[in-house]
């Protein structure tokens, strides 16, 4: 996972970084290693009394605050087991065979006070950053947490493919093998740094190490498994504590019958809240002497950051894919990159997770699901957080989300001077037109900066401007055949007819095997497909032109009000273009780009995974599309980024004691300000790797 962006940094927040290694598939155990260290210059003496430089990774000084402030189960019994009354368990990482670097992120490693070239040239670098060798001062442990997965309480989860190594402050489980493979590690590495470059709060990826160790994976669940290389992503964040961390205290769930492993240990809940608030929300701790008021303020801040985060996802067309409570950061960061996806054509029902048959985690469902997850967090914090006070905070979520979303969208449309009541409708009509025409989400928004503000006396040129804008936007639209393919129902018509009949005759049975939303979505696609089958390409293109002409006219009218009273329209136009091009990315990490990099890497060519940074581009991330240069170009030139961070190493073939069937992660958490986590399988249903 990656570090939080400075522009979204909590007030008074002291950064710690966490590294997390992903070694197994997302639907396997998760394990993570969290390390917190304090960086200092150091040398050692050889037998001749001469000063010898140490490995830069050996100069990280661990203080492991999380293990000191939160209960630790000292048993090192291997394998999944129930962990009661503890937040961490001791584990012993197992090494990879011949680990070696695939790529590193200079900006992410800098959060730890490390220089990328020094790390790359360090003979011990791949071993330390893959967990094959434990850094001096680290204390490997696995984090125990629970989670609601696809709406059902899954009970104890925790680390299985990653482990906590320790914490530092620098100057500037589920049953499976706990391994992550190269293809899923590449997807995570690229997206972590790419999402950061888009200005979205997220954990970071410091490095990607692969090895000669192999595991067997059935990529397409087709009965044709193959051997794949084990790989590890070094993830960095202030902490990897998530909503599910507090669900270890949950009483028996009435639907699943599962219970949190630390139910009844209320003192530990309070201890964990104290640790999180004191460490990551110090101003809240300082400003509230009353414990209940402090806890309410803490929950409100988590709610606010979550609303802001999901609004940013929606505005860049990002779909997380597995928004379980164990994948929700307590700091409002994007964590756990599993079956994520960026939309190509705009589709509110876009689903990036092949296991999400009901569309629970679809693009348009994300804001509501995040609120649902916040409600589960509130339940987990009771009685430290009174239910009535929590509900009042939750009532603030939707208005806050709408405020963040509209603010972002106005920037994307270049509406900088005024906030008009009809702006919401203008945005809604834009998205509806994009959906109807199959327009590309990213490219369409990028094109809008080329539509200028009207100027006085240019009435005769208006028709030409609208024609130019139409031609530009029509290039981003889908063909008739593409629209037919996009609107083909995923459900067989006979199955759909059966479900409709069942909904009428036996509603209870219907609810057990499907839901009305899924059926309605399939019926809508079927109706649209019928219309498309009866149309030809000429008719479709003509309708597209008409739809876009209508919207562009409304947009130009709104831009006219934007320039009212402005003495220098040209200066305003230049400002609009700058803001819009800095908000609407030229490229995002589309699936084909990641797949190109994966295929090259699996053939030994890591060049397309190499991360490049630029100091002259801000928040305009480019994933180059050329045949020879398809690697991610993550432009990360944000200033004022906190310098505290944690290191998280891979959970090497370790099945953490906190693991349960189907999960496994290990975390590395920060001391004082953050933690590092190893990216293990993103656990839970829906992981595609």
């Amino acid at each position: 996972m990656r570090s939080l962006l400075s522009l979204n940094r909590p007030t008074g927040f002291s950064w710690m970084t966490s590294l997390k290694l992903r070694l197994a598939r997302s639907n396997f155990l998760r394990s993570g290693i969290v390390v917190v260290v304090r960086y200092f210059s150091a040398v050692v003496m050889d037998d001749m009394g001469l000063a010898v430089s140490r490995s830069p990774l050996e100069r990280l000084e661990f203080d492991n605050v999380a293990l000191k402030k939160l209960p630790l189960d000292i048993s090192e019994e291997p394998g999944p087991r129930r962990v009661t009354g503890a937040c961490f368990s001791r584990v012993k990482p197992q090494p990879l065979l011949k680990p070696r670097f695939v790529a590193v992120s200079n900006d992410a490693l800098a959060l730890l006070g490390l220089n990328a070239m020094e790390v790359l040239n360090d003979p011990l670098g791949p071993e330390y950053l893959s967990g094959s060798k434990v850094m001096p001062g680290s204390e490997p442990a696995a984090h125990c947490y629970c989670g609601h997965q696809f709406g059902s309480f899954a009970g104890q989860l925790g680390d299985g493919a990653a482990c906590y190594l320790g914490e530092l402050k620098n100057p500037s489980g589920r049953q499976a093998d706990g391994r992550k493979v190269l293809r899923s590690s590449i997807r995570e590495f690229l997206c972590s740094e790419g999402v950061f470059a888009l200005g979205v709060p997220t954990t970071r990826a410091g490095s990607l190490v692969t090895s000669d160790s192999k595991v067997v994976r059935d990529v397409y669940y087709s009965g044709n498994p193959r051997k794949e290389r084990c790989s590890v992503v070094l993830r960095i964040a202030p902490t990897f504590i998530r909503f599910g961390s507090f669900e270890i205290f949950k009483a028996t769930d009435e639907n699943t019958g599962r219970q949190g492993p630390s139910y009844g240990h209320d003192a530990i809940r309070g201890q964990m809240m104290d640790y999180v608030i004191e460490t990551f929300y110090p101003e809240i701790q300082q400003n509230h002497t009353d414990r209940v008021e402090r806890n309410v303020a803490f929950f409100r801040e988590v709610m606010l950051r979550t609303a802001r985060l999901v609004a940013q996802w929606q505005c860049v067309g990002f779909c997380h894919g597995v928004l379980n409570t164990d994948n929700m950061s307590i700091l409002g960061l994007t964590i756990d990159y599993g079956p994520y996806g960026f939309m190509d054509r705009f589709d509110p029902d876009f689903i990036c997770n092949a296991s999400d048959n009901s569309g629970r985690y679809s693009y348009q469902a994300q804001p509501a699901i995040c609120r649902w997850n916040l409600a589960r967090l509130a339940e987990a914090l009771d009685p430290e957080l009174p239910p009535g006070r929590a509900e009042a905070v939750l009532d603030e979520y939707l208005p806050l989300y709408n405020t963040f979303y509209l603010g972002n969208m106005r920037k994307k449309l270049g509406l900088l001077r005024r906030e008009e009541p009809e702006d919401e409708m203008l945005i809604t009509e834009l998205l509806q037109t994009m959906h109807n025409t199959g327009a590309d989400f990213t490219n369409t928004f990028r094109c809008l900066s080329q539509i200028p503000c009207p100027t006085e006396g240019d009435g005769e040129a208006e028709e030409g401007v609208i024609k130019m804008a139409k031609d530009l936007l029509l290039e981003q639209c889908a063909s008739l055949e593409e629209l037919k393919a996009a609107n083909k129902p995923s459900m067989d018509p006979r199955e759909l007819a059966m479900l409709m009949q069942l909904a009428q005759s036996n509603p209870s049975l219907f609810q057990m095997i499907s839901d009305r939303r899924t059926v309605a979505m399939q019926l809508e696609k079927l109706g649209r497909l019928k219309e498309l089958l009866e149309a030809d390409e000429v008719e479709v293109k003509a309708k597209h032109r008409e739809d876009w002409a209508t919207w562009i006219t409304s947009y130009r009218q709104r831009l006219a009000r934007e320039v009212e009273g402005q003495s220098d329209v040209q200066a305003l136009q230049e400002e609009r273009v700058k803001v819009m091009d800095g908000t609407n990315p030229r490229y995002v990490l589309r699936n084909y780009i990641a797949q190109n990099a994966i295929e090259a890497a699996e053939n030994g060519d890591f060049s397309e995974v190499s991360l490049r940074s630029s100091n002259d581009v801000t928040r305009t991330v480019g994933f180059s599309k050329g045949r020879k240069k398809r690697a991610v170009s993550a432009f990360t030139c944000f200033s004022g980024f906190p310098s505290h961070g944690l290191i998280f190493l891979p959970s090497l073939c370790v099945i953490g004691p906190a693991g349960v069937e189907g999960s496994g992660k290990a975390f590395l958490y920060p001391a004082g300000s953050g933690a590092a986590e190893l990216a293990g399988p993103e656990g839970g249903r829906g992981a595609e790797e």
Side-chain angles (χ1 to χ4, degrees), residues 50-71:
L50 300 176
V52 179
S53 297
R54 299 169 60 180
S55 160
L57 296 168
E58 292 175 351
R59 297 199 298 261
L60 297 171
E61 183 182 356
F62 291 80
D63 53 17
N64 306 331
V65 170
L67 298 186
K68 296 174 182 176
K69 291 193 173 183
L70 298 175

Side-chain angles (χ1 to χ4, degrees), residues 368-421:
I369 284 296
C370 285
R371 187 198 182 282
W372 190 91
N373 287 340
L374 283 163
R376 305 292 77 74
L377 173 62
E379 292 173 356
L381 297 178
D382 182 27
E384 289 281 346
L385 178 68
R389 300 295 300 277
E391 191 61 35
V393 172
L394 287 171
D395 288 342
E396 301 172 22
Y397 173 83
L398 186 57
L400 267 175
Y401 165 78
N402 285 334
T403 297
F404 289 134
Y405 179 79
L406 284 172
N408 290 339
M409 278 296 186
R410 285 190 176 102
K411 288 183 180 179
K412 292 175 76 69
L413 269 64
L415 307 178
L416 311 180
R417 293 290 187 270
R418 308 163 71 106
E419 294 184 5
E420 299 284 354

Side-chain angles (χ1 to χ4, degrees), residues 105-299:
S105 170
N106 185 63
D107 290 344
L109 290 177
L111 298 173
L112 307 177
L114 296 171
N115 178 277
M117 290 309 300
E118 288 184 2
V119 173
L120 283 171
N121 292 327
D122 181 1
L124 297 177
E127 293 187 77
Y128 280 138
L129 296 185
S130 68
S132 300
K133 192 177 184 68
V134 178
M135 289 180 285
S138 72
E139 299 179 67
H143 177 43
C144 179
Y145 55 84
C146 295
H148 279 79
Q149 300 191 331
F150 284 81
S152 298
F153 185 62
Q156 178 176 295
L157 302 173
D159 296 334
C163 65
Y164 169 100
L165 294 181
E167 299 176 51
L168 69 92
K169 192 182 293 184
N170 73 13
S172 23
R174 306 158 205 183
Q175 187 170 1
D177 54 26
R179 297 289 197 180
K180 195 76 173 177
V181 296
L182 183 59
R183 57 188 162 80
S184 56
S185 298
I186 287 174
R187 279 174 51 83
E188 177 177 359
F189 179 83
L190 294 181
C191 197
S192 296
E193 291 303 277
V195 167
F196 169 74
L198 289 173
V200 178
T202 178
T203 53
R204 302 291 299 278
S207 65
L208 169 55
V209 174
T210 193
S211 71
D212 286 349
S213 298
K214 301 290 183 68
V215 289
V216 176
R217 293 287 183 267
D218 185 354
V219 182
Y220 303 107
Y221 304 98
S222 60
N224 298 305
R226 63 185 177 93
K227 289 185 177 181
E228 297 190 63
R229 293 184 183 277
C230 295
S231 302
V232 172
V233 173
L234 176 70
R235 301 171 109 185
I236 304 171
T239 184
F240 284 86
I241 289 180
R242 66 259 338 264
F243 292 8
S245 299
F246 291 94
E247 292 189 294
I248 63 174
F249 311 107
K250 181 176 171 57
T252 302
D253 186 81
E254 61 182 14
N255 296 316
T256 66
R258 297 189 178 107
Q259 183 184 81
S262 293
Y263 170 68
H265 293 261
D266 290 345
I268 298 177
R269 179 195 288 108
Q271 189 177 349
M272 186 182 294
M273 288 192 71
D274 290 343
Y275 167 71
V276 170
I277 297 172
E278 292 170 3
T279 304
F280 308 108
Y281 296 90
E283 288 199 351
I284 290 176
Q285 178 68 28
Q286 295 166 8
N287 294 337
H288 295 85
T289 56
D290 181 84
R291 186 175 183 85
V292 170
E293 294 304 318
R294 181 202 70 166
N295 294 346
V296 171
F298 160 67
F299 183 63

